[in-house]
Every structure is written in C-alpha cells, then in structure tokens.
Amino acid sequence: MSLPAHDTGVVELFAALAYAELTAFSRLASDSDVAPTLTARIELAALAARELQHHQLLADRLRDLGADPRTAMAPFTAAVDHFHARTRPRTWAERLVKTAVIDGLAEDLLGQLAPRLADTEQGLLERVLDRSDSDRVVASLLTEALAAEPMAAGRLSLWGRRVLGEAMSHGQLSGVDHPHLAVTVVGTDDVAALSAFLGRLAAGHAERLAAAVRP
C-alpha cells in the first residue's frame, strides 16, 4: 500500500538524508586517512563515526515509517554520487572547505525544516543535522591550513562557492524529481518557490563561507 503524500515526503527526506550521512561517513573517513597530523586524523575519524550513527538513526526511523531503507535511498544515490564526483577535492584544505560548506547547509536546512515537521521528526533532525562538533573541528583545522598557506585563501573561497553552487543545483534537481520531497521541505512543489528556498540557503551560507576562508 502506498504511503499518504505527507508520509511519502517525510520518507523521501529521511532517505535522502540517510544516504547523505552514509556518504559523509565515507568522505570523512577518507579525509582522516590523509590528515596531516595525528590529532586531525583522530578528530575526523570521530566525526565519521558520528555520521554513521546518524545514518543508522535515519534508517531506523524509515523502518518505523514502513519503508525499507535501502529501497528508499536508492532513488537518491545517483544524484548524491554525482555531486561528490563533481566536487572532488584536490588538496587537504579543499577537503576541509567542502565539509564546511556541507555542514553550513545542514544547519541552515535544519533551521528551515524544524518548524515544519512533527515533534518526533523535528527531534530526529536536530540530532542528525546538528553540526556543532564538526564546525569546531573543521574551523580549527582550516585555520591551521590557512596559517600555513595564507595565499590559498582566494583559491579556497572560489572552491567553496563552486561546492555551494553544485549543492544548490543538486537541491533544485532533487526537488523537481521528487515533488513530495519538495512539498515537505518547501511547502509546495512550485519550482519558483523551491528556487527561492534554495536561494535563501545559499545567501545565508555565503557570508559564513567567506569568513571561514579568510586568512
């Protein structure tokens, strides 16, 4: 039996986030492997482990909603993988900036979504999208990287804007391809409203990104 439209949108939201958290685990684990210091390696490994816990929380909630996590995530894998393929970092600092961009968008998304969902779903999102620990670790490591190479700030700023732009394009396509998801996130599947929503996310994050890569 198919789920009601609202439930379908929530399932799609949690499925998309579940796959995003799974890829975040892999990405941060890879970053830990190439970290220049033991401290950075330990801190990023801890963040990777936390992302895997978030994935499991979302998978458990999907089962509670009557959805198979793997089946629910499947429609989102190609788009998410494509985003990461188009934003593959070349340097250690670019890895950190990419994480900073994704973390900032996660926090902004939480601020937009939390008031729209039921208390149960809101509480789960607050656990999954809270990036306070990651913000602290990444900001510290990025400060160290910029201190070692201050002339890289301009290049990293451009890189961050590229990652942000790719994320916005990915969000636009996902909303168009999954109208129930768009209704859950934005309140409507209208393309103009979706574009305005993504524009607010981008505008809110651009200022923080500029500050993050300032030497």
Side-chain angles (χ1 to χ4, degrees):
M1 184 177 72
S2 62
L3 292 164
H6 173 71
D7 289 343
T8 299
V10 171
V11 165
E12 290 184 339
L13 172 63
F14 287 171
L17 290 175
Y19 189 66
E21 296 294 318
L22 186 61
T23 60
F25 159 72
S26 299
R27 177 172 50 84
L28 288 168
S30 176
D31 291 350
S32 174
D33 285 342
V34 299
T37 67
L38 180 59
T39 296
R41 186 171 187 178
I42 292 170
E43 289 179 324
L44 289 172
L47 293 179
R50 186 175 181 184
E51 299 289 20
L52 191 58
Q53 292 173 348
H54 291 165
H55 165 77
Q56 190 58 57
L57 287 172
L58 289 162
D60 289 344
R61 184 57 184 149
L62 285 168
R63 293 187 187 93
D64 291 342
L65 292 170
D68 174 72
R70 295 184 185 183
T71 301
M73 287 189 295
F76 300 97
T77 58
V80 174
D81 291 347
H82 183 65
F83 163 73
H84 286 297
R86 289 183 59 84
T87 56
R88 186 170 289 116
R90 297 169 298 175
T91 67
W92 167 244
E94 285 186 359
R95 287 173 180 261
L96 296 174
V97 170
K98 180 174 178 177
T99 296
V101 170
I102 293 173
D103 285 350
L105 290 174
E107 291 178 345
D108 289 343
L109 183 62
L110 174 60
Q112 294 284 338
L113 274 177
R116 299 183 52 79
L117 299 178
D119 290 344
T120 301
E121 321 302 358
Q122 182 178 336
L124 176 57
L125 280 184
E126 288 173 351
R127 292 185 65 183
V128 168
L129 295 179
D130 176 26
R131 290 297 189 269
S132 54
D133 287 345
S134 183
D135 282 348
R136 173 184 54 78
V137 170
V138 172
S140 176
L141 294 176
L142 191 52
T143 298
E144 292 176 4
L146 285 169
E149 193 182 358
M151 297 300 293
R155 173 176 57 80
L156 292 174
S157 180
L158 290 174
W159 166 247
R161 288 199 289 272
R162 177 185 165 188
V163 174
L164 181 61
E166 291 287 350
M168 292 300 98
S169 296
H170 167 67
Q172 181 83 30
L173 291 173
S174 295
V176 171
D177 290 343
H178 303 279
H180 291 307
L181 173 62
V183 171
T184 296
V185 173
V186 183
T188 174
D189 61 358
D190 178 70
V191 174
L194 175 61
S195 296
F197 173 84
L198 293 171
R200 291 193 297 273
L201 288 186
H205 186 59
E207 185 175 343
R208 291 200 305 273
L209 175 62
V213 298
R214 188 175 296 133

